[in-house]
Amino acid sequence: MCVKVRKDFALSDESAINRSPLLPDRYPQGDFFVCDIFDAVPKADMASMEHPIFSLSTKPDTRVREYEHNGIKIAIKPSVDGLATVHDRDILIYCISQLMTAINEGKEVSQAVRFRAFDMLVATNRNTAGSGYAQLKAALERLAGTRISTNIVTGGQEVFRTFGLIESAEIVRETRDGRMQEVEVKLSDWVFNAIRSKEVLTLHRDYFRLRKPLERRIYEIARKHCGAQKEWRIGLSLLQKKCGSNSTLREFRRLVMNIIREDQSHDHMPDYSIEMNEQEDTVLFTNRQNVKVVLPQAVAPQLDPDVYETARMLAPGHDVHYLEREWREWLPEAPRNPEAAFLGFCRKWMQSRKNTG
């Protein structure tokens, strides 16, 4: 009996070691029922990717935080509910993504974004049980209650004022069992100004599968600063400052090393691998080549509306407008026959997916 218990513990330890650091993908994109929810590519505003706006804590954080770097000063003040967290940021990312998709399709947008709570939970890989809706409501309260005083520049304007991450949130309908159905969020002028100026960056979808708040924050910083470069290096103390970590430098080093060891075992960090030079106390991010260099964009005219139906047949289950944006960014020169060129791109794109998948 004693031997059996030890064997079970050994299996348990081995299972823990081999388990992926990523959260399970609760809603695979291959599921036709939810594929339309993923049409909006995840995007985040660059200002809050650059600066530590959100709390890394999973417990209520009621500290007033002040941050200063390269002339930028930020004071983040919580409500009684605590500071908005890195996971609360999912709501902003979802709203920004929806608005950027609408802008890219030539639609008019406003600061008020209405969405189905279920869609937001699925798109950000959250659970759709009752606890998921309760967490969403609490996140909205923290986002509305967190106030920022800053001189961050967005849209070519330097703003010196105090504002919330969102101006307001309203649950439009709620079911009898307490689950919200529709939500309306009014974004702050600051966030909306960044959207209209297209000061946003695309995030890897696995961002929503990162378990640890620090992993998410480190990825955001790498996405902002490394971008499409081959690599980017930062001192550990500056990385800690940008993360907004309240740990000692020694403890922060330990937390980062844990993430690095897991990434070396599982390659779980999106877009960038991570290494540390312990002698220099620096962290190196290396592009996994998922983020490409953006070349000067060739201009192609608007496509004939009929071409989209053909594109859907060539790339079943995929957002053809997303493929069009990818095609336009890739174009080396203006094509003579835009429709034929776009359909050719769709065929090659699907073939590359089959070859790698």
Side-chain angles (χ1 to χ4, degrees), residues 54-200:
F54 298 90
S55 173
L56 299 175
S57 177
T58 54
K59 298 177 180 179
D61 186 349
T62 55
R63 297 175 299 118
V64 175
R65 294 196 295 162
E66 294 184 348
Y67 168 87
E68 183 174 355
H69 186 65
N70 290 341
I72 300 295
K73 297 179 181 179
I74 305 173
I76 307 115
K77 302 175 183 178
S79 67
V80 294
D81 298 311
L83 290 171
T85 70
V86 167
H87 286 95
D88 297 342
R89 176 175 169 76
D90 291 356
I91 299 172
L92 281 182
I93 292 173
Y94 184 77
C95 291
I96 291 169
S97 306
Q98 297 296 316
L99 292 183
M100 285 306 304
T101 297
I103 289 172
N104 290 335
E105 292 175 356
K107 299 177 182 176
E108 292 292 326
V109 297
S110 71
Q111 286 176 252
V113 185
R114 181 174 291 199
F115 56 86
R116 290 178 63 221
F118 177 84
D119 290 353
M120 183 270 163
L121 294 174
V122 169
T124 55
N125 202 47
R126 292 171 173 242
N127 78 74
T128 54
S131 60
Y133 291 89
Q135 290 165 3
L136 176 54
K137 184 180 288 187
L140 290 168
E141 291 172 344
R142 285 189 294 268
L143 286 168
T146 299
R147 306 294 299 179
I148 299 173
S149 300
T150 182
N151 66 338
I152 289 178
V153 176
T154 62
Q157 296 180 333
E158 190 171 20
V159 180
F160 293 91
R161 61 191 180 88
T162 299
F163 51 90
L165 289 168
I166 61 175
E167 291 301 322
S168 61
E170 181 180 353
I171 299 172
V172 182
R173 289 203 305 268
E174 193 165 354
T175 57
R176 291 181 181 178
D177 62 359
R179 297 186 185 185
M180 62 184 77
Q181 290 187 348
E182 288 193 0
V183 177
E184 184 170 289
V185 173
K186 185 177 181 183
L187 300 175
S188 68
D189 292 342
W190 176 60
V191 173
F192 191 62
N193 197 28
I195 294 169
R196 287 191 299 184
S197 302
K198 296 190 176 181
E199 294 173 354
V200 299

Side-chain angles (χ1 to χ4, degrees), residues 2 18 27 33 37-38 66 75 95 109 150 182 190 199 217 231 238 242 256 276 307 312 315-316 331 337 351:
C2 182
N18 293 329
Y27 316 100
F33 179 70
I37 297 171
F38 294 92
E66 294 184 348
C95 291
V109 297
T150 182
E182 288 193 0
W190 176 60
E199 294 173 354
R217 182 68 190 128
E231 60 183 34
L238 180 55
K242 283 183 170 291
V256 173
M276 179 180 284
V307 79
R312 289 187 181 94
L331 275 178
N337 187 330
Q351 187 60 47

Side-chain angles (χ1 to χ4, degrees), residues 42 202-209 219 223 270-271 290:
T202 299
L203 305 179
H204 195 287
R205 289 197 183 280
D206 281 349
Y207 170 86
F208 298 119
R209 296 180 62 198
Y219 168 73
R223 183 68 188 89
D271 294 330
N290 295 329

